[in-house]
Amino acid sequence: MEQTTRGNWGSQMGFILAAAGSAIGLGNIWRYPYITGQNGGAAFVLLYLACVLVIALPVLIAELALGRRTTMNPVGAFQALTTSKYWPFVGYLGVITGVGILSFYLVVAGWTLGYIVKELSGTIGSFGDFVQDPISEIGYFAAFLGLTVFVVLGGVEKGIERWSKFLMPALLILLLCLIGYNLTLEGASKGIEFYLNPDFSKINGSTFLAALGQAFFSLSLGMGTMITYGSYLPKKENIPVGAVAVALSDTAIAFLAGLMIFPALFSVGLEPSQGPALVFNVLPSVFATMPGGQFIGIAFFILLAIAALTSTVSLLEVPVAFLVDQKKWSRKKAVWIISGATFLLGLPSALAQGTSDFFSTLTLFGQTGFLDIMSFVFSDLSLPIGGFFIAIFVGWVWGARHASEEILLGTPPAFSRLMAGWGFLIRFVCPAMILLVLIAKLFS
Ligand code: PFF
């Protein structure tokens, strides 16, 4: 059997935890709140939920099926199912996107390390001052890259997975406690109003793409991460159930992060549209008002750093698996070369919060600052474009019927009735909606 040469997840639960580990990260707790804040709040949240349900979930199932069927990395997966020399470019796009996302993601992950140190020392200071110092910006960024390399090369991935079984529920509990506390703050109700009472006049062409891009980013879709995860999935496991479990837990964590942030934000009187600094500005000032806030702050940033680590590991895996499988590089060489490239590409993002005038004020595609531009290009453009081609490939080239056969392995007979719905979504709805949203952005 093809499966014997490739490692497998120990169980359905092991797979769900690993995929959820990739999905749940800074995207939920750092990116989702600030993108929601920039896009006007509750109406955006509704759009986001619709994107997850109607577009992202079907694509997640498609990626997992593609991976399990071919037991390949994203480039090899396309090569295995078609002789066309063009389709593997979707895989190449995924490899490049992995490096692009990793480069700015590590900068923000570095901030979480910086905030662990700040909370430990008891002097928080302002985020603006923190990100002005190039030595610490680059230092923390490099440290998080080092941590990621250590996990990927050090053979401790299994260990991290085992830990995250306990740490992710801990993060959830901490979120719930913080929501409970923040709701009691003065002015919290204005935050609830902003987050949960939709004002549809705030929606425009850009809002749709922001919601779609965030859905893909948060679920690690559109660049082949989930193809790779699917390639380790045994035939006896139930893909739809796994996909729903991953999407539900990821969406729940993001939704709760919003519920934690916005009441606090309005109570301390900050701007919801301030961008990437949002979480780092709001939370420490709330921790400072809490009894035992320093310990809560330390615990929060440690858990956030670990959630980020399980995502950076999955981001690094895509280009590394490509070089090892397709180009026959040694794993060590692949990891070091990709890390070196990621470091160079990440430097401008690390300097883009005021250290370098040029990178901080650079404006492109309506985004100001190198980090914001990278986040837009790789999350909002590259991932949905990758998702578009994956949907077309699975729906039309491999074919929804063949894909359904793969998906139905490991499911009880009743699931076959759901496949027509999935086929319709992946063939028509996903590609058409993604295209429409991209076009809407052009005219916004
Ligand atoms: N899903 C991760 C998060 O929300 O933090 C980020 C991510 C990981 C995006 C892996 C894409 C990916 F392939």
Side-chain angles (χ1 to χ4, degrees):
M1 272 284 289
E2 56 206 6
Q3 301 266 345
T4 49
T5 51
R6 213 172 163 88
N8 273 342
W9 305 112
S11 63
Q12 175 95 347
M13 205 52 201
F15 157 73
I16 290 173
L17 284 169
S22 165
I24 297 170
L26 296 171
N28 307 60
I29 290 168
W30 160 73
R31 197 172 189 276
Y32 169 80
Y34 93 73
I35 298 283
T36 303
Q38 281 178 333
N39 286 281
F44 171 87
V45 175
L46 286 179
L47 274 186
Y48 173 71
L49 295 175
C51 287
V52 169
L53 198 66
V54 180
I55 304 174
L57 183 60
V59 172
L60 174 57
I61 293 173
E63 283 202 27
L64 292 173
L66 190 55
R68 186 170 73 177
R69 172 61 207 269
T70 58
T71 63
M72 292 277 183
N73 67 81
V75 172
F78 287 99
Q79 286 170 346
L81 291 174
T82 163
T83 50
S84 151
K85 56 181 190 299
Y86 296 112
W87 280 106
F89 279 101
V90 182
Y92 292 123
L93 177 68
V95 168
I96 294 168
T97 306
V99 178
I101 293 182
L102 193 56
S103 75
F104 72 82
Y105 198 96
L106 284 167
V107 171
V108 181
W111 297 347
T112 66
L113 291 186
Y115 269 73
I116 296 172
V117 174
K118 274 166 163 289
E119 291 282 353
L120 278 170
S121 73
T123 42
I124 304 299
S126 83
F127 179 76
D129 290 341
F130 169 63
V131 287
Q132 298 283 323
D133 175 6
I135 304 293
S136 78
E137 273 293 276
I138 295 173
Y140 285 125
F141 160 49
F144 213 102
L145 176 59
L147 217 55
T148 307
V149 169
F150 172 72
V151 173
V152 171
L153 279 185
V156 294
E157 262 171 275
K158 280 270 167 309
I160 298 277
E161 252 165 56
R162 222 168 298 138
W163 277 20
S164 60
K165 222 178 278 184
F166 303 101
L167 294 174
M168 290 307 106
L171 180 66
L172 177 66
I173 292 168
L174 188 55
L175 274 180
L176 291 172
C177 294
L178 288 170
I179 291 170
Y181 179 82
N182 291 357
L183 286 176
T184 66
L185 296 171
E186 217 183 297
S189 59
K190 269 191 260 154
I192 293 295
E193 168 83 16
F194 177 83
Y195 188 53
L196 297 179
N197 192 8
D199 172 357
F200 290 99
S201 69
K202 294 197 172 131
I203 287 181
N204 58 42
S206 303
T207 323
F208 284 101
L209 186 59
L212 184 65
Q214 177 60 22
F216 272 82
F217 185 85
S218 196
L219 280 171
S220 308
L221 291 179
M223 52 163 273
T225 305
M226 291 299 172
I227 299 180
T228 313
Y229 275 49
S231 75
Y232 300 112
L233 196 57
K235 299 285 188 200
K236 66 178 190 331
E237 302 301 349
N238 187 325
I239 286 183
V241 165
V244 168
V246 171
L248 257 183
S249 49
D250 184 70
T251 308
I253 297 277
F255 184 77
L256 292 175
L259 211 49
M260 162 185 74
I261 293 287
F262 288 107
L265 176 109
F266 281 84
S267 115
V268 285
L270 290 170
E271 263 301 300
S273 59
Q274 60 186 281
L278 187 127
V279 171
F280 293 92
N281 273 331
V282 173
L283 287 182
S285 43
V286 175
F287 296 146
T289 67
M290 283 179 168
Q294 188 183 3
F295 293 100
I296 297 179
I298 295 167
F300 178 83
F301 285 110
I302 289 180
L303 289 173
L304 185 55
I306 293 168
L309 186 61
T310 53
S311 300
T312 55
V313 164
S314 77
L315 280 161
L316 183 57
E317 273 299 342
V318 171
V320 166
F322 161 71
L323 290 171
V324 171
D325 289 357
Q326 303 290 125
K327 304 282 169 205
K328 305 292 173 232
W329 286 22
S330 76
R331 202 168 161 75
K332 240 197 181 132
K333 177 175 163 195
V335 167
W336 283 115
I337 297 220
I338 294 290
S339 305
T342 305
F343 180 71
L344 293 179
L345 189 64
L347 283 177
S349 290
L351 301 176
Q353 307 299 313
T355 320
S356 146
D357 254 2
F358 176 74
F359 291 124
S360 309
T361 55
L362 189 69
T363 301
L364 213 66
F365 309 116
Q367 309 288 320
T368 302
F370 198 84
L371 191 148
D372 295 59
I373 295 171
M374 291 293 278
S375 168
F376 175 76
V377 169
F378 287 105
S379 317
D380 291 353
L381 293 183
S382 189
L383 294 180
I385 290 172
F388 171 81
F389 285 113
I390 289 169
I392 297 275
F393 183 82
V394 171
W396 298 92
V397 179
W398 180 22
R401 187 160 325 141
H402 287 131
S404 295
E405 283 163 14
E406 178 65 42
I407 294 166
L408 285 172
L409 299 175
T411 63
F415 276 73
S416 59
R417 267 182 267 140
L418 298 173
M419 291 327 294
W422 174 80
F424 179 71
L425 290 173
I426 207 71
R427 282 160 72 97
F428 299 103
V429 178
C430 296
M433 292 299 288
I434 296 172
L435 210 57
L436 260 174
V437 168
L438 286 168
I439 293 170
K441 171 70 187 180
L442 283 181
F443 291 100
S444 71

